[in-house]
Amino acid sequence: MTRSGVGIRTAQTRSERLTGQIHVYDGAGKGKSQAALGVVLRSIGLGIHSDLQTRVLLLRFLKGPGRTYDEDAAIEALQRGFPHLIDQVRTGRAEYFGAEQITRFDKLEAQRGWDVAKGAIASGLYSVVVLDELNPVLDLGLLPVDEVVSTLQRKPDHMEVIATGRAAPQPLLDIADLHSEMRPHYHSNAQTNGIEGIEIYTGEGKGKSTSALGKALQAIGRGISQDKSHRVLIMQWLKGGSGYTEDAAIAALRQSYPNLVDHQRCGRDAIVWRGQQQELDYVEAERGWEIARAAIASGLYKTLILDELNPTVDLELLPEEPIVQALLRKPRDTEIIITGRCKNLPAYFDLASVHSEMICHKHYAEKGIDLKRGVDF
């Protein structure tokens, strides 16, 4: 049977949009806050080696300072090196609570966070404002939906706003320029055989590679603050060349913590379409897999990001079976994150303990709006 294949847009020189968009990530699947962290990484990377005015506010609801998160140490390291590029504010309790457990403190903390958000939006000083877990705050009734929607509609033209979390209210979805739903899938084979530590992000919606970058930020933070042996490999297929804004931020973390993170790219700086594969595409795909296979087998890495592996397989640049065998033999404490869209699900999907499909409900690209450096790539 002939497969249709998938092409990946690269970071080669192209036009970019100037107008900021409103992004909403919701759904029951994993990857929402991770996607926001991935944009944070890209935005900081853009600012490191660019004269563009870029600054990100990471405002996190329902994630109070009483609890430590894996990404904290990595974000703090970037703040020390580039204090002009990122601010972070946490509000709320340190533990989960339901609608029947809401207290006056919860309402005050939600309002405190929203006051910070309103000030940041009105100031126009930020290129990206991340409102992490805003959706459940609205769903719990801790903030008035109408006021939030009205404020976001009046944001400065250049500003990107990203709202995450389950149960986004319909009025917020109505004004969103991008809406990706993270939908979970469950694989009985993984559950029955106790296979853990394999996460797959796929689908037509935005957030796959972005979520993986957020996961990498979390893993690097864990290595900095909790486990010095938590080494991270970021392996990216079909993304050769330069122009990817996350590279500068990853390189800065690698310079500070050279034993904790490695980053490799393979492929041409061009879109690879089915029927137009070149010999170099096969060579580069295999080169990337040899690095990844050796890294998995070595046990030296606790987190491996295998970005765009799915379309690489879907384009038949790599066979499935060696990947399945490598995943089955991975060390138990090694986490592997695999990303990318594909028309035909490879056999290794059945090994996933986490499988989030990004469902595209809205995307500004469908309206002919250009992608943006520091946000989309």
Side-chain angles (χ1 to χ4, degrees):
M1 181 177 67
T2 302
R3 295 184 177 181
S4 57
V6 181
I8 302 298
R9 295 190 69 180
T10 71
Q12 58 192 334
T13 302
R14 61 186 180 199
S15 59
E16 297 179 39
R17 62 182 162 84
L18 299 177
T19 303
Q21 307 290 298
I22 298 174
H23 311 232
V24 176
Y25 295 100
D26 77 341
K30 188 173 179 180
K32 302 177 289 293
S33 292
Q34 287 174 197
L37 290 174
V39 174
V40 168
L41 193 69
R42 283 178 175 153
S43 182
I44 294 171
L46 176 65
I48 290 175
H49 294 312
S50 172
D51 294 330
L52 296 174
Q53 291 294 324
T54 179
R55 186 180 182 93
V56 59
L57 171 64
L58 178 57
L59 174 57
R60 316 194 79 173
F61 295 91
L62 305 178
K63 291 180 176 176
R67 177 179 172 185
T68 299
Y69 291 85
D70 285 343
E71 61 268 20
D72 288 351
I75 291 173
E76 288 168 6
L78 290 169
Q79 281 180 308
R80 287 194 301 271
F82 312 99
H84 61 296
L85 295 180
I86 179 172
D87 294 314
Q88 179 177 206
V89 177
R90 290 189 182 276
T91 70
R93 288 196 228 176
E95 71 277 353
Y96 172 82
F97 61 92
E100 68 285 353
Q101 300 165 310
I102 292 173
T103 65
R104 182 172 180 270
F105 175 81
D106 300 320
K107 295 178 181 179
L108 290 173
E109 281 292 276
Q111 188 60 52
R112 178 173 73 88
W114 179 237
D115 287 343
V116 173
K118 285 190 295 184
I121 292 169
S123 73
L125 295 175
Y126 294 92
S127 55
V128 177
V129 173
V130 174
L131 304 176
D132 187 32
E133 303 297 354
L134 175 65
N135 300 341
V137 165
L138 297 175
D139 185 57
L140 288 166
L142 296 174
L143 290 174
V145 175
D146 291 346
E147 179 189 339
V148 171
V149 167
S150 177
T151 300
L152 296 185
Q153 286 180 305
R154 298 194 305 269
K155 73 172 183 64
D157 285 344
H158 72 278
M159 183 181 290
E160 305 282 333
V161 176
I162 300 170
T164 77
R166 297 189 184 206
Q170 191 59 48
L172 179 59
L173 296 177
D174 289 341
I175 67 165
D177 301 294
L178 180 144
H179 173 204
S180 278
E181 174 198 351
M182 277 61 169
R183 186 173 296 175
H185 294 269
Y186 303 97
H187 297 276
S188 58
N189 190 44
Q191 296 170 340
T192 301
N193 293 289
I195 300 172
E196 298 179 348
I198 299 174
E199 299 184 8
I200 295 179
Y201 298 96
T202 189
E204 298 296 318
K206 179 174 169 58
K208 302 177 288 294
S209 293
T210 321
S211 291
L213 290 174
K215 184 77 175 184
L217 193 66
Q218 292 173 331
I220 294 166
R222 197 180 315 161
I224 294 171
S225 64
Q226 301 173 41
D227 178 5
K228 300 301 182 184
S229 68
H230 198 107
R231 194 171 174 185
V232 181
L233 172 64
I234 304 169
M235 184 69 232
Q236 298 185 284
W237 281 267
L238 301 175
K239 291 179 176 177
S242 59
Y244 295 91
T245 51
E246 63 263 25
D247 289 4
I250 295 169
L253 288 168
R254 190 168 186 268
Q255 185 173 6
S256 298
Y257 304 97
N259 297 323
L260 290 183
V261 57
D262 291 312
H263 183 203
Q264 296 279 340
R265 290 188 178 278
C266 64
R268 292 184 288 130
D269 188 13
I271 301 173
V272 180
W273 296 109
R274 174 163 300 284
Q276 300 176 23
Q277 300 98 320
Q278 299 181 10
E279 182 63 28
L280 183 60
D281 298 323
Y282 293 93
V283 171
E284 282 290 282
E286 186 62 34
R287 180 177 70 84
W289 173 242
E290 282 304 308
I291 294 170
R293 182 193 58 76
I296 294 169
S298 73
L300 294 175
Y301 294 91
K302 296 293 181 64
T303 299
L304 293 96
I305 309 295
L306 307 183
D307 185 34
E308 305 296 359
L309 179 61
N310 294 335
T312 302
V313 172
D314 200 49
L315 286 164
E316 298 180 349
L317 299 176
L318 287 174
E320 294 179 22
E321 187 57 27
I323 298 172
V324 171
Q325 294 304 316
L327 294 178
L328 285 171
R329 294 194 297 267
K330 79 170 185 68
R332 190 169 184 82
D333 61 348
T334 296
E335 282 190 301
I336 298 179
I337 293 83
I338 301 172
T339 78
R341 66 181 71 191
C342 53
K343 300 297 183 184
N344 300 274
L345 303 189
Y348 57 75
F349 270 55
D350 202 34
L351 305 178
S353 49
V354 171
H355 173 191
S356 277
E357 180 187 4
M358 280 56 175
I359 306 296
C360 181
H361 293 287
K362 278 187 188 180
H363 199 308
Y364 37 81
E366 295 176 344
K367 299 179 181 179
I369 297 174
D370 290 326
L371 303 184
K372 189 173 184 179
R373 197 172 299 274
V375 175
D376 299 296
F377 62 96

Short mmCIF file of all heavy atoms in Angstrom, two decimals, residues 57-67 88-94 103-121 131 134 137 142-144 147-148:
data_model
loop_
_atom_site.label_atom_id
_atom_site.label_comp_id
_atom_site.label_asym_id
_atom_site.label_seq_id
_atom_site.Cartn_x
_atom_site.Cartn_y
_atom_site.Cartn_z
N LEU A 57 6.60 36.51 29.63
CA LEU A 57 6.09 36.37 30.99
C LEU A 57 5.48 34.99 31.12
O LEU A 57 4.55 34.64 30.38
CB LEU A 57 5.03 37.42 31.29
CG LEU A 57 4.27 37.22 32.63
CD1 LEU A 57 5.22 37.35 33.81
CD2 LEU A 57 3.10 38.18 32.75
N LEU A 58 6.00 34.21 32.05
CA LEU A 58 5.44 32.89 32.36
C LEU A 58 4.65 33.03 33.64
O LEU A 58 5.21 33.05 34.74
CB LEU A 58 6.57 31.86 32.50
CG LEU A 58 6.16 30.43 32.88
CD1 LEU A 58 5.15 29.86 31.89
CD2 LEU A 58 7.38 29.54 32.99
N LEU A 59 3.34 33.16 33.52
CA LEU A 59 2.44 33.34 34.65
C LEU A 59 1.67 32.05 34.86
O LEU A 59 0.94 31.61 33.97
CB LEU A 59 1.48 34.51 34.38
CG LEU A 59 0.37 34.76 35.41
CD1 LEU A 59 0.93 34.97 36.80
CD2 LEU A 59 -0.47 35.94 34.98
N ARG A 60 1.81 31.46 36.04
CA ARG A 60 1.27 30.13 36.27
C ARG A 60 0.24 30.15 37.39
O ARG A 60 0.54 30.45 38.54
CB ARG A 60 2.42 29.16 36.58
CG ARG A 60 3.61 29.35 35.64
CD ARG A 60 4.60 28.23 35.68
NE ARG A 60 4.14 27.10 34.90
CZ ARG A 60 4.87 26.03 34.66
NH1 ARG A 60 6.10 25.95 35.13
NH2 ARG A 60 4.39 25.03 33.96
N PHE A 61 -1.00 29.88 37.02
CA PHE A 61 -2.09 29.75 37.99
C PHE A 61 -2.09 28.33 38.56
O PHE A 61 -1.63 27.38 37.92
CB PHE A 61 -3.44 30.02 37.31
CG PHE A 61 -3.61 31.42 36.81
CD1 PHE A 61 -3.26 31.76 35.51
CD2 PHE A 61 -4.15 32.41 37.62
CE1 PHE A 61 -3.43 33.05 35.03
CE2 PHE A 61 -4.33 33.71 37.16
CZ PHE A 61 -3.97 34.03 35.86
N LEU A 62 -2.64 28.19 39.76
CA LEU A 62 -2.83 26.87 40.39
C LEU A 62 -1.52 26.12 40.60
O LEU A 62 -1.51 24.90 40.75
CB LEU A 62 -3.79 26.00 39.56
CG LEU A 62 -5.17 26.61 39.25
CD1 LEU A 62 -5.98 25.65 38.39
CD2 LEU A 62 -5.92 26.95 40.51
N LYS A 63 -0.41 26.83 40.57
CA LYS A 63 0.91 26.20 40.73
C LYS A 63 1.74 27.07 41.66
O LYS A 63 2.74 27.67 41.25
CB LYS A 63 1.59 26.02 39.38
CG LYS A 63 0.92 24.97 38.49
CD LYS A 63 1.63 24.81 37.16
CE LYS A 63 0.99 23.70 36.34
NZ LYS A 63 1.59 23.56 34.99
N GLY A 64 1.29 27.15 42.91
CA GLY A 64 1.91 28.05 43.88
C GLY A 64 3.34 27.71 44.19
O GLY A 64 3.84 26.62 43.90
N PRO A 65 4.05 28.66 44.81
CA PRO A 65 5.47 28.49 45.11
C PRO A 65 5.76 27.45 46.18
O PRO A 65 6.92 27.14 46.43
CB PRO A 65 5.89 29.89 45.58
CG PRO A 65 4.63 30.53 46.07
CD PRO A 65 3.54 29.99 45.21
N GLY A 66 4.72 26.90 46.81
CA GLY A 66 4.95 25.90 47.84
C GLY A 66 5.34 24.53 47.30
O GLY A 66 5.64 23.62 48.07
N ARG A 67 5.32 24.38 45.98
CA ARG A 67 5.68 23.10 45.37
C ARG A 67 6.78 23.32 44.33
O ARG A 67 6.77 24.32 43.62
CB ARG A 67 4.44 22.47 44.69
CG ARG A 67 4.71 21.17 43.96
CD ARG A 67 3.43 20.64 43.35
NE ARG A 67 3.67 19.51 42.48
CZ ARG A 67 2.73 18.91 41.75
NH1 ARG A 67 1.49 19.35 41.79
NH2 ARG A 67 3.03 17.89 40.97
N GLN A 88 8.89 35.20 35.65
CA GLN A 88 8.00 34.11 36.04
C GLN A 88 7.26 34.48 37.32
O GLN A 88 7.87 34.99 38.26
CB GLN A 88 8.76 32.79 36.24
CG GLN A 88 7.81 31.66 36.67
CD GLN A 88 8.48 30.30 36.81
OE1 GLN A 88 7.84 29.28 36.67
NE2 GLN A 88 9.78 30.27 37.10
N VAL A 89 5.97 34.21 37.35
CA VAL A 89 5.13 34.44 38.53
C VAL A 89 4.28 33.20 38.74
O VAL A 89 3.67 32.68 37.80
CB VAL A 89 4.21 35.67 38.35
CG1 VAL A 89 3.30 35.85 39.56
CG2 VAL A 89 5.04 36.94 38.12
N ARG A 90 4.25 32.73 39.99
CA ARG A 90 3.40 31.59 40.35
C ARG A 90 2.31 32.05 41.32
O ARG A 90 2.57 32.86 42.21
CB ARG A 90 4.21 30.48 41.03
CG ARG A 90 5.17 29.75 40.12
CD ARG A 90 5.75 28.55 40.86
NE ARG A 90 6.71 27.82 40.06
CZ ARG A 90 6.39 26.89 39.16
NH1 ARG A 90 5.13 26.60 38.96
NH2 ARG A 90 7.34 26.28 38.48
N THR A 91 1.12 31.53 41.14
CA THR A 91 0.03 31.84 42.07
C THR A 91 -0.74 30.56 42.40
O THR A 91 -0.68 29.57 41.67
CB THR A 91 -0.95 32.86 41.46
OG1 THR A 91 -1.69 32.24 40.40
CG2 THR A 91 -0.23 34.08 40.92
N GLY A 92 -1.46 30.63 43.52
CA GLY A 92 -2.34 29.51 43.88
C GLY A 92 -1.74 28.57 44.90
O GLY A 92 -0.64 28.78 45.42
N ARG A 93 -2.49 27.53 45.17
CA ARG A 93 -2.05 26.49 46.10
C ARG A 93 -0.99 25.60 45.45
O ARG A 93 -0.80 25.61 44.23
CB ARG A 93 -3.22 25.59 46.48
CG ARG A 93 -4.24 26.21 47.39
CD ARG A 93 -5.08 25.08 47.97
NE ARG A 93 -6.50 25.35 47.87
CZ ARG A 93 -7.43 24.47 48.23
NH1 ARG A 93 -7.08 23.27 48.66
NH2 ARG A 93 -8.71 24.78 48.14
N ALA A 94 -0.37 24.82 46.30
CA ALA A 94 0.62 23.86 45.80
C ALA A 94 0.01 22.50 45.52
O ALA A 94 0.69 21.61 45.02
CB ALA A 94 1.76 23.72 46.81
N THR A 103 -11.51 27.95 48.36
CA THR A 103 -11.42 28.80 49.55
C THR A 103 -11.23 30.26 49.13
O THR A 103 -10.99 30.57 47.96
CB THR A 103 -10.25 28.37 50.44
OG1 THR A 103 -9.01 28.62 49.73
CG2 THR A 103 -10.32 26.89 50.80
N ARG A 104 -11.30 31.14 50.11
CA ARG A 104 -11.06 32.57 49.85
C ARG A 104 -9.64 32.77 49.33
O ARG A 104 -9.40 33.61 48.46
CB ARG A 104 -11.28 33.37 51.13
CG ARG A 104 -11.09 34.89 50.95
CD ARG A 104 -11.51 35.64 52.20
NE ARG A 104 -11.32 37.08 52.02
CZ ARG A 104 -10.22 37.74 52.34
NH1 ARG A 104 -9.18 37.07 52.85
NH2 ARG A 104 -10.11 39.04 52.15
N PHE A 105 -8.69 32.00 49.85
CA PHE A 105 -7.31 32.08 49.39
C PHE A 105 -7.21 31.81 47.90
O PHE A 105 -6.48 32.50 47.17
CB PHE A 105 -6.44 31.10 50.17
CG PHE A 105 -5.02 31.01 49.68
CD1 PHE A 105 -4.08 31.95 50.05
CD2 PHE A 105 -4.62 29.98 48.84
CE1 PHE A 105 -2.77 31.89 49.60
CE2 PHE A 105 -3.32 29.90 48.38
CZ PHE A 105 -2.39 30.86 48.76
N ASP A 106 -7.93 30.79 47.42
CA ASP A 106 -7.89 30.44 46.00
C ASP A 106 -8.38 31.60 45.14
O ASP A 106 -7.80 31.91 44.09
CB ASP A 106 -8.74 29.19 45.73
CG ASP A 106 -8.26 27.98 46.51
OD1 ASP A 106 -7.02 27.81 46.61
OD2 ASP A 106 -9.10 27.23 47.01
N LYS A 107 -9.45 32.25 45.58
CA LYS A 107 -9.99 33.37 44.82
C LYS A 107 -9.02 34.56 44.82
O LYS A 107 -8.82 35.20 43.78
CB LYS A 107 -11.34 33.79 45.41
CG LYS A 107 -12.42 32.73 45.28
CD LYS A 107 -13.72 33.17 45.93
CE LYS A 107 -14.79 32.09 45.82
NZ LYS A 107 -16.05 32.49 46.47
N LEU A 108 -8.42 34.82 45.97
CA LEU A 108 -7.47 35.93 46.06
C LEU A 108 -6.23 35.67 45.20
O LEU A 108 -5.71 36.58 44.54
CB LEU A 108 -7.06 36.16 47.52
CG LEU A 108 -8.13 36.74 48.44
CD1 LEU A 108 -7.64 36.75 49.89
CD2 LEU A 108 -8.51 38.16 48.00
N GLU A 109 -5.75 34.44 45.20
CA GLU A 109 -4.58 34.09 44.41
C GLU A 109 -4.86 34.16 42.91
O GLU A 109 -4.03 34.62 42.12
CB GLU A 109 -4.07 32.70 44.78
CG GLU A 109 -3.25 32.66 46.05
CD GLU A 109 -1.92 33.39 45.87
OE1 GLU A 109 -0.97 32.77 45.36
OE2 GLU A 109 -1.85 34.58 46.21
N ALA A 110 -6.06 33.71 42.52
CA ALA A 110 -6.44 33.82 41.11
C ALA A 110 -6.50 35.29 40.69
O ALA A 110 -6.02 35.66 39.61
CB ALA A 110 -7.78 33.14 40.87
N GLN A 111 -7.07 36.13 41.55
CA GLN A 111 -7.16 37.56 41.22
C GLN A 111 -5.78 38.20 41.20
O GLN A 111 -5.51 39.06 40.34
CB GLN A 111 -8.04 38.26 42.25
CG GLN A 111 -8.35 39.71 41.90
CD GLN A 111 -9.08 39.86 40.58
OE1 GLN A 111 -10.11 39.22 40.35
NE2 GLN A 111 -8.55 40.70 39.68
N ARG A 112 -4.90 37.78 42.11
CA ARG A 112 -3.53 38.31 42.10
C ARG A 112 -2.84 37.99 40.79
O ARG A 112 -2.19 38.84 40.18
CB ARG A 112 -2.74 37.72 43.28
CG ARG A 112 -1.28 38.19 43.32
CD ARG A 112 -0.58 37.73 44.59
NE ARG A 112 -0.29 36.31 44.59
CZ ARG A 112 0.83 35.78 44.09
NH1 ARG A 112 1.75 36.56 43.53
NH2 ARG A 112 1.04 34.47 44.15
N GLY A 113 -2.98 36.76 40.34
CA GLY A 113 -2.39 36.37 39.07
C GLY A 113 -2.98 37.15 37.90
O GLY A 113 -2.26 37.59 37.01
N TRP A 114 -4.30 37.34 37.94
CA TRP A 114 -4.94 38.05 36.85
C TRP A 114 -4.55 39.53 36.84
O TRP A 114 -4.39 40.12 35.77
CB TRP A 114 -6.45 37.89 36.93
CG TRP A 114 -7.19 38.61 35.84
CD1 TRP A 114 -8.15 39.56 35.98
CD2 TRP A 114 -7.00 38.45 34.43
NE1 TRP A 114 -8.57 40.01 34.75
CE2 TRP A 114 -7.88 39.34 33.78
CE3 TRP A 114 -6.16 37.64 33.65
CZ2 TRP A 114 -7.96 39.44 32.39
CZ3 TRP A 114 -6.24 37.74 32.27
CH2 TRP A 114 -7.12 38.62 31.65
N ASP A 115 -4.35 40.11 38.01
CA ASP A 115 -3.89 41.50 38.08
C ASP A 115 -2.51 41.64 37.43
O ASP A 115 -2.23 42.61 36.71
CB ASP A 115 -3.83 41.98 39.52
CG ASP A 115 -5.22 42.22 40.11
OD1 ASP A 115 -6.19 42.32 39.34
OD2 ASP A 115 -5.33 42.28 41.36
N VAL A 116 -1.63 40.66 37.68
CA VAL A 116 -0.32 40.64 37.03
C VAL A 116 -0.48 40.53 35.51
O VAL A 116 0.17 41.25 34.74
CB VAL A 116 0.55 39.49 37.57
CG1 VAL A 116 1.84 39.37 36.77
CG2 VAL A 116 0.86 39.69 39.05
N ALA A 117 -1.36 39.64 35.09
CA ALA A 117 -1.58 39.43 33.66
C ALA A 117 -2.12 40.69 32.99
O ALA A 117 -1.64 41.09 31.92
CB ALA A 117 -2.56 38.27 33.45
N LYS A 118 -3.08 41.34 33.62
CA LYS A 118 -3.65 42.57 33.04
C LYS A 118 -2.59 43.65 32.90
O LYS A 118 -2.54 44.36 31.89
CB LYS A 118 -4.81 43.07 33.91
CG LYS A 118 -6.08 42.27 33.78
CD LYS A 118 -7.25 42.96 34.46
CE LYS A 118 -7.06 43.04 35.96
NZ LYS A 118 -8.24 43.63 36.63
N GLY A 119 -1.76 43.77 33.94
CA GLY A 119 -0.69 44.77 33.87
C GLY A 119 0.31 44.47 32.77
O GLY A 119 0.74 45.38 32.05
N ALA A 120 0.65 43.18 32.62
CA ALA A 120 1.61 42.79 31.58
C ALA A 120 1.05 43.02 30.19
O ALA A 120 1.75 43.50 29.28
CB ALA A 120 1.98 41.32 31.76
N ILE A 121 -0.23 42.70 30.01
CA ILE A 121 -0.86 42.89 28.70
C ILE A 121 -0.97 44.37 28.37
O ILE A 121 -0.66 44.81 27.26
CB ILE A 121 -2.25 42.20 28.68
CG1 ILE A 121 -2.08 40.67 28.75
CG2 ILE A 121 -3.03 42.59 27.44
CD1 ILE A 121 -3.37 39.92 29.00
N LEU A 131 -0.25 32.20 29.99
CA LEU A 131 -1.21 32.11 31.10
C LEU A 131 -1.47 30.63 31.36
O LEU A 131 -2.48 30.06 30.94
CB LEU A 131 -2.50 32.86 30.76
CG LEU A 131 -2.30 34.35 30.37
CD1 LEU A 131 -3.63 34.97 29.95
CD2 LEU A 131 -1.66 35.13 31.51
N LEU A 134 -4.76 28.81 32.98
CA LEU A 134 -5.87 29.77 33.02
C LEU A 134 -7.21 29.09 32.78
O LEU A 134 -8.22 29.45 33.41
CB LEU A 134 -5.65 30.85 31.95
CG LEU A 134 -6.80 31.87 31.78
CD1 LEU A 134 -6.96 32.72 33.03
CD2 LEU A 134 -6.59 32.74 30.55
N VAL A 137 -8.86 27.66 35.85
CA VAL A 137 -9.21 28.77 36.74
C VAL A 137 -10.56 29.36 36.32
O VAL A 137 -11.43 29.64 37.15
CB VAL A 137 -8.11 29.85 36.72
CG1 VAL A 137 -8.60 31.16 37.32
CG2 VAL A 137 -6.88 29.37 37.49
N LEU A 142 -13.13 31.04 39.29
CA LEU A 142 -12.27 31.88 40.12
C LEU A 142 -12.03 33.25 39.50
O LEU A 142 -11.60 34.18 40.19
CB LEU A 142 -10.93 31.18 40.37
CG LEU A 142 -10.99 29.87 41.16
CD1 LEU A 142 -9.62 29.21 41.21
CD2 LEU A 142 -11.51 30.13 42.56
N LEU A 143 -12.29 33.37 38.20
CA LEU A 143 -12.17 34.65 37.51
C LEU A 143 -13.37 34.79 36.57
O LEU A 143 -13.87 33.78 36.04
CB LEU A 143 -10.88 34.72 36.70
CG LEU A 143 -9.56 34.82 37.45
CD1 LEU A 143 -8.39 34.73 36.48
CD2 LEU A 143 -9.47 36.11 38.27
N PRO A 144 -13.82 36.01 36.32
CA PRO A 144 -14.94 36.22 35.39
C PRO A 144 -14.50 36.02 33.94
O PRO A 144 -13.57 36.70 33.46
CB PRO A 144 -15.37 37.66 35.65
CG PRO A 144 -14.16 38.33 36.23
CD PRO A 144 -13.41 37.27 36.98
N GLU A 147 -14.58 39.18 31.55
CA GLU A 147 -13.50 40.16 31.74
C GLU A 147 -12.20 39.66 31.11
O GLU A 147 -11.48 40.42 30.46
CB GLU A 147 -13.28 40.44 33.22
CG GLU A 147 -12.15 41.43 33.48
CD GLU A 147 -11.77 41.57 34.94
OE1 GLU A 147 -12.60 41.23 35.81
OE2 GLU A 147 -10.64 41.99 35.21
N VAL A 148 -11.91 38.39 31.31
CA VAL A 148 -10.68 37.82 30.73
C VAL A 148 -10.72 37.91 29.21
O VAL A 148 -9.75 38.35 28.57
CB VAL A 148 -10.50 36.36 31.20
CG1 VAL A 148 -9.37 35.69 30.43
CG2 VAL A 148 -10.23 36.30 32.70
#
